[in-house]
Amino acid sequence: MTDTKIFSKKSIIISLILFIISTGLTAQNYSIDYYGIVSKEIDANMSKMTSDLYYTQLSEINNFSVSDKRTSPCLSDRPDSEDFSDTSLSFFTVITKDAKSDKWITTYFVVDKAHGEEHSKRKTYDSFYKILMEPKDVLKDTIKQLIENDTAPAEIAATSTDSLLSSGRSIASTEELSGTWGGEENINKIVIMRGGRGFVIFNNGASMNITVELSGSEGGKNVIITQKGNSNASFYPELKRTAALDAAVSASPIRWTFSLIDENTLSGIKDTLLPEGDSYKTGTVNVTWSRIN
């Protein structure tokens, strides 16, 4: 082999090495602010476990510099976009339970405040366990897709249609809710009166007194509606009668946590008792009320 050919091969090898090195050195680095999990349907221990898992997996991704911005293991509302940095990307995940099945839905959000963009990706899991067991490479690929804008961007301030946890329309007083509402299969109507009082009329004829109050910050108040008085088996028409009678003895008050989507729509979750075979269990369901008049 001639010296010229040897020199040529060496040059090619050196060029490839330099190219590989330069590519690694110029790889895009990302600064990520991690805000954790938003959910109203998982307990504190499960929230902390899942939130810590996401944080650990994010921190292990090459070229990611992750800052922990969590103020709680689990948020009840989306982080305020006003708190996001102009120099970092903001990441959080909304977790909800499908009202019509046992499936769980996660929606990943990456917010680029500097460019006024929000990118999201929704995934459905057969059980909450599968969320925890998903390989970390899946999260890495999902986040990188969002960062590289492989999903259609939305305005940063827009309300996500994938979640019932957004702040919704602002509300100043419960007086704005006065009127008759409906929307649940086993409820004939809900009447909200001035002064934060009201009542629920079930299809079976039962009547429940309720209190209505606002909770949260000025920019994102939730509407909290709570059963007032003792429980009644008729408040649980979804349960078998024997289970409902047993539950009514010691059941916690039924509670609705809503966002005001518009002046005629309340959307959120209901804390109640759910059927479990011949018995019952505590749980939540997604609920939407619409103003009748």
Side-chain angles (χ1 to χ4, degrees), residues 67-257:
S67 298
D68 192 349
K69 299 293 184 179
R70 288 176 291 176
T71 58
S72 169
C74 189
L75 302 172
S76 59
D77 293 288
R78 288 170 48 120
D80 190 340
S81 60
E82 293 298 317
D83 295 333
F84 294 161
S85 171
D86 290 322
T87 58
S88 299
L89 299 174
S90 299
F91 171 71
F92 62 93
T93 304
V94 174
I95 299 179
T96 57
K97 194 168 190 303
D98 189 339
K100 299 179 180 179
S101 70
D102 291 329
K103 296 181 184 295
W104 288 85
I105 301 166
T106 62
T107 309
Y108 304 100
F109 290 88
V110 169
V111 178
D112 184 351
K113 187 175 181 180
H115 294 91
E117 292 183 353
E118 179 180 281
H119 299 266
S120 65
K121 184 177 179 65
R122 171 176 167 151
K123 298 186 68 177
T124 301
Y125 298 85
D126 291 334
S127 68
F128 196 91
Y129 176 78
K130 290 191 175 181
I131 297 177
L132 300 175
M133 293 298 103
E134 187 168 66
K136 65 181 181 181
D137 285 346
V138 176
L139 177 64
K140 178 182 72 175
D141 292 342
T142 299
I143 301 307
K144 285 190 172 181
Q145 286 175 13
L146 292 173
I147 289 175
E148 293 165 3
N149 300 337
D150 284 350
T151 61
E155 291 294 329
I156 190 172
T159 301
S160 169
T161 57
D162 287 332
S163 172
L164 297 177
L165 299 174
S166 57
S167 297
R169 176 179 174 272
S170 62
I171 179 171
S173 168
T174 58
E175 306 295 308
E176 299 176 36
L177 304 173
S178 297
T180 304
W181 299 74
E184 292 189 49
E185 181 180 358
N186 293 306
I187 291 179
N188 178 267
K189 62 182 176 181
I190 306 101
V191 178
I192 298 178
M193 301 180 291
R194 296 182 183 278
R197 297 177 297 113
F199 54 90
V200 175
I201 303 295
F202 291 83
N203 290 337
N204 58 23
S207 176
M208 173 202 295
N209 290 324
I210 55 174
T211 60
V212 184
E213 59 185 345
L214 303 182
S215 175
S217 64
E218 289 298 323
K221 287 186 177 179
N222 289 323
V223 178
I224 310 298
I225 298 176
T226 309
Q227 168 193 331
K228 183 180 180 181
N230 295 330
S231 293
N232 184 313
S234 296
F235 295 173
Y236 311 104
E238 301 87 354
L239 304 183
K240 291 191 174 182
R241 186 62 180 174
T242 53
L245 289 168
D246 182 44
V249 176
S250 58
S252 298
I254 296 173
R255 174 186 171 104
W256 293 263
T257 303

Side-chain angles (χ1 to χ4, degrees), residues 27-38:
Q28 178 69 53
N29 293 315
Y30 297 102
S31 177
I32 309 289
D33 288 343
Y34 176 61
Y35 284 87
I37 288 174
V38 184

